[in-house]
Amino acid sequence: MSRAAVIADPGMEVPGAAARVIGARVRRRVMREPVAYILGRQAFRYLELQVDPRVLIPRPETELLVECAIEMEEGARVHDVGTGSGAIALAIAAERPDMHVTGSDVSADAVDVAVANGDRLGLQVEFVAASDWPAAAFAAPSGPAAAAGRRGEGDSRYVDRDSSGRRSASAFEPDLVVANLPYVREDEWARLQPEIRLYEPRSALVSGEDGLDAIRALVQGAPAGTQVALEHAPAQAAEIRSLLVGGETLLDLAGKERVTLGSVP
């Protein structure tokens, strides 16, 4: 039963199976579960991504990171730290197929979601699970057997571009790192909307007393001179600029300071 059919004939009888599905979804929404999790999908840029409670639901303001990346020169290497569902990395790959795009996340479950989205969309993006600067994960042996072995270890894994075992022979040296890392303060968590607090992964949102632990760790772990684009809360913009060389903050569509560009000192 399509939405168009219901609109065209408001008096139509809803089949029992469809009514049960609708009822179950309404009950979930009454419990404040996000619509994206109920439907299992979320739009981002020109993509429709599969999402579930293993990953944060992509937000419109995060599209600003994609806009930063697609302005890079032809063939640029872009890495997405904290990739989650793969939204940023996959959107960049879709809009700039000439670029070499990679992504990483501390959560192996999130990487599973990102890989599944990439496979479904037919986009060539490499993903790894890594707890810090992911150069070591990308330097690991290639191929399905090696990837399966690293899954067992639970700390890093490599997913090649086309499941053939092939990978780039060059070192992990991205021209730009984009990151939507956790930036909610510890004391903000209890005040967040139930849709966020009860359902979305806390580890993808909260990052220490001032919300900047994960961002500081990235800046401290990345090689000097690495170009970064970091999403953050508007109130954190000045502090983020102070962490970088040549920090410049961009405004989101609501006119709020949302993404800061600069290089690692």
Side-chain angles (χ1 to χ4, degrees):
M1 175 181 292
S2 68
R3 178 182 297 182
V6 174
I7 293 174
D9 184 9
M12 71 181 299
E13 182 177 348
V14 179
R20 286 190 291 273
V21 170
I22 293 170
R25 289 178 173 178
V26 169
R27 286 190 292 273
R28 291 170 67 181
R29 185 66 191 112
V30 168
M31 297 299 294
R32 304 297 291 270
E33 184 174 354
V35 172
Y37 288 160
I38 296 171
L39 299 179
R41 62 181 186 270
Q42 174 71 12
F44 185 80
R45 298 285 287 187
Y46 305 108
L47 305 178
E48 184 172 88
L49 301 165
Q50 293 180 344
V51 296
D52 60 42
R54 291 176 292 176
V55 295
L56 196 69
I57 298 169
R59 269 67 165 175
E61 55 266 28
T62 300
E63 295 186 6
L64 188 54
L65 289 172
V66 178
E67 293 175 13
C68 292
I70 62 176
E71 294 299 320
M72 298 289 289
E73 63 186 16
E74 184 176 356
R77 296 168 179 263
V78 179
H79 183 73
D80 174 23
V81 174
T83 194
S85 65
I88 299 168
L90 293 169
I92 295 168
E95 297 178 43
R96 287 291 306 273
D98 60 291
M99 288 183 169
H100 180 79
V101 185
T102 55
S104 63
D105 200 287
V106 67
S107 166
D109 286 339
V111 171
D112 284 340
V113 176
V115 170
N117 275 318
D119 289 346
R120 183 177 57 83
L121 295 167
L123 294 170
Q124 296 184 345
V125 175
E126 302 167 61
F127 293 104
V128 297
S131 59
D132 48 22
W133 186 248
F138 280 101
S142 63
R150 287 193 293 278
R151 287 190 188 97
E153 296 170 5
D155 57 352
S156 67
R157 68 189 134 157
Y158 173 80
V159 181
D160 65 302
R161 284 186 163 206
D162 57 4
S163 300
S164 68
R166 293 178 298 177
R167 64 177 299 166
S168 171
S170 56
F172 179 71
E173 297 176 351
D175 299 301
L176 177 68
V177 171
V178 294
N180 178 21
L181 292 169
Y183 55 79
V184 173
R185 302 193 316 267
E186 289 281 358
D187 64 354
E188 292 179 306
W189 177 252
R191 301 194 300 272
L192 295 179
Q193 293 177 331
E195 285 85 349
I196 298 172
R197 182 169 40 81
L198 299 180
Y199 294 96
E200 296 199 80
R202 189 180 191 278
S203 60
L205 289 159
V206 178
S207 188
E209 185 175 347
D210 65 355
L212 296 178
D213 285 3
I215 291 176
R216 287 196 188 94
L218 172 61
V219 173
Q220 291 168 4
T226 300
Q227 299 294 310
V228 296
L230 307 172
E231 181 175 329
H232 50 75
Q236 297 167 332
E239 179 64 21
I240 299 294
R241 288 193 295 270
S242 75
L243 299 175
L244 304 173
V245 175
E248 175 188 0
T249 301
L250 307 179
L251 305 181
D252 61 20
L253 293 176
K256 297 179 180 180
E257 294 186 308
R258 183 63 60 184
V259 168
T260 294
L261 301 164
S263 60
V264 172

